[in-house]
Amino acid sequence: HAKQIMKPFFLRRLKSEVLKDLPKKTSEVQTVPMGTNQHEMYFERVARYKKKAKDMAEGRIRKITAGESGVGMIMNLRKIANHPLLVRNHFDDKQLHILAKLLKKDESHKNAQEKFIIEDLSYMSDFEIHKTCLAYRCIEHYSLGNHLICESGKFQMLDDMLPQMNDNGDRILIFTQFVIVLDILEQYLRIRGHKYLRLDGSTPVTERQIMIDQYNTDDSIFIFI
């Protein structure tokens, strides 16, 4: 009934109607091995989660954090498979206390309570903490090196593919399911010196077609993410 009500107000265009002039699409699924540290992190989490699930089933523990619910566990494994910095592993609790002390001395956080700064940092991934470090001079020296930004199986695959595709004159579109993956992908592309454009949900509608036209007319923009 709702569909009938809305029908006059929605224009639905099917692929069969609008993609007639494009060549046939060919798809290739390519599996990518994780990097060494990424692999270790992933299976350490798998072992930890299996133990947690067994302890829950046998009644040894009754309460778990949101990040260790069934959905939370799967989500964390998906994140690690994309990039190890998408969970918190590099910045341990001791480092969070150090960062909080330094931020508390900064003018920007003079009215904040140190325990709440620590609490906020504890919910962040390594990459989010890295971005926070870059935002404040007092903790800038705790930001992560470029080698850690590039340390992902998928980025190592891009290291092999992108230069060759650039030489071939190919144009590249890269899609991600997480906005934070776009954030870390941006840093990777800057490190590697690739010219790119970025579009996500926060991009104003009025700018989207302008960006698409720019990409289609400027061959120096190699990648659109």
Side-chain angles (χ1 to χ4, degrees):
H1 181 58
K3 193 174 181 182
Q4 288 299 317
I5 293 171
M6 292 186 290
K7 191 173 181 181
F9 307 102
F10 282 84
L11 173 64
R12 187 178 182 210
R13 294 176 294 181
L14 303 177
K15 286 185 180 180
S16 58
E17 297 167 343
V18 299
L19 298 183
K20 294 176 181 177
D21 297 327
L22 289 179
K24 185 179 178 181
K25 181 172 72 173
T26 57
S27 298
E28 178 186 346
V29 178
Q30 188 167 348
T31 56
V32 183
M34 290 184 281
T36 304
N37 292 335
Q38 191 176 12
H39 185 276
E40 290 174 1
M41 274 182 62
Y42 186 93
F43 285 101
E44 183 275 327
R45 293 272 174 144
V46 169
R48 189 200 309 173
Y49 291 158
K50 280 184 177 178
K51 183 179 184 304
K52 186 81 70 174
K54 184 178 179 183
D55 289 344
M56 282 285 291
E58 296 176 359
R60 283 193 288 273
I61 57 173
R62 294 184 179 179
K63 191 175 180 181
I64 58 173
T65 63
E68 292 185 327
S69 66
V71 173
M73 292 177 186
I74 295 296
M75 187 61 71
N76 284 336
L77 293 177
R78 283 184 66 195
K79 288 178 179 178
I80 295 171
N82 274 307
H83 201 293
L85 295 182
L86 297 181
V87 298
R88 185 165 71 87
N89 184 68
H90 179 83
F91 291 98
D92 57 26
D93 290 345
K94 183 179 177 182
Q95 284 179 300
L96 296 192
H97 281 78
I98 294 171
L99 293 175
K101 284 184 183 297
L102 292 171
L103 282 169
K104 181 73 179 84
K105 294 176 183 178
D106 190 77
E107 185 68 21
S108 61
H109 287 72
K110 66 178 182 180
N111 296 323
Q113 293 189 41
E114 194 173 307
K115 65 177 181 179
F116 292 137
I117 300 175
I118 294 169
E119 185 178 344
D120 286 345
L121 291 170
S122 70
Y123 287 112
M124 294 182 183
S125 66
D126 280 343
F127 185 68
E128 288 169 320
I129 296 174
H130 163 72
K131 289 203 299 182
T132 302
C133 291
L134 292 177
Y136 298 99
R137 248 179 142 175
C138 60
I139 56 173
E140 191 177 22
H141 54 291
Y142 281 95
S143 61
L144 303 175
N146 287 349
H147 66 290
L148 292 175
I149 303 296
C150 299
E151 193 178 53
S152 161
K154 291 185 177 182
F155 285 0
Q156 288 162 11
M157 182 197 70
L158 291 178
D159 280 341
D160 292 334
M161 292 178 64
L162 293 181
Q164 182 179 348
M165 296 178 86
N166 198 9
D167 290 341
N168 292 341
D170 295 328
R171 312 302 304 287
I172 312 297
L173 300 179
I174 302 178
F175 296 86
T176 74
Q177 291 183 315
F178 301 108
V179 172
I180 194 169
V181 177
L182 281 181
D183 295 340
I184 197 165
L185 180 60
E186 265 197 298
Q187 286 213 7
Y188 163 79
L189 293 175
R190 288 195 200 112
I191 291 166
R192 293 295 186 247
H194 296 301
K195 194 172 180 182
Y196 68 92
L197 289 173
R198 168 179 172 159
L199 188 152
D200 61 38
S202 67
T203 306
V205 175
T206 53
E207 294 180 13
R208 296 184 183 194
Q209 190 60 50
I210 295 171
M211 293 174 68
I212 293 168
D213 292 340
Q214 183 184 1
Y215 180 71
N216 285 334
T217 56
D218 188 347
D219 289 340
S220 71
I221 304 173
F222 175 40
I223 298 170
F224 205 136
I225 64 174

